[in-house]
Amino acid sequence: MPEGANPACPKGSNSRAFSRVVISNILEDNATEEQKANGLDIADFLLMTETPHMALQRLIKQHPPLQRLIDSLGLVLVEEP
């Protein structure tokens, strides 16, 4: 058997085609509690666009003092129709 060949792959197939797997928790880190509760997966995220609520949550995660500012000024998210 050639070096690097995978015995589980059929003869003549390229055993290195999928030899690198990268795991990331970016979806879990950026999902809202509602999205987590609804069990959204990667396909759901690929099909959606960022909502204003998602954008705000992303900004708050990147800049935690923003949440204190929002709370202390009583700000609310206003979505355009």
Side-chain angles (χ1 to χ4, degrees):
M1 182 171 296
E3 183 181 334
N6 184 342
C9 292
K11 268 189 175 176
S13 68
N14 182 353
S15 65
R16 294 179 186 253
F18 297 101
S19 62
R20 182 168 182 221
V21 176
V22 177
I23 307 282
S24 172
N25 55 349
I26 194 167
L27 291 179
E28 185 178 340
D29 290 347
N30 290 292
T32 64
E33 292 304 317
E34 181 181 4
Q35 292 166 334
K36 291 177 186 179
N38 289 332
L40 270 61
D41 61 18
I42 192 166
D44 298 310
F45 284 95
L46 291 173
L47 294 172
M48 72 172 65
T49 57
E50 186 174 63
T51 65
H53 179 77
M54 291 168 62
L56 179 59
Q57 292 305 311
R58 180 176 46 77
L59 289 171
I60 290 169
K61 184 171 178 81
Q62 292 172 347
H63 309 285
L66 180 59
Q67 184 65 62
R68 276 187 261 129
L69 181 64
I70 291 169
D71 294 342
S72 64
L73 295 175
L75 301 176
V76 295
L77 180 63
V78 176
E79 297 187 41
E80 295 181 24

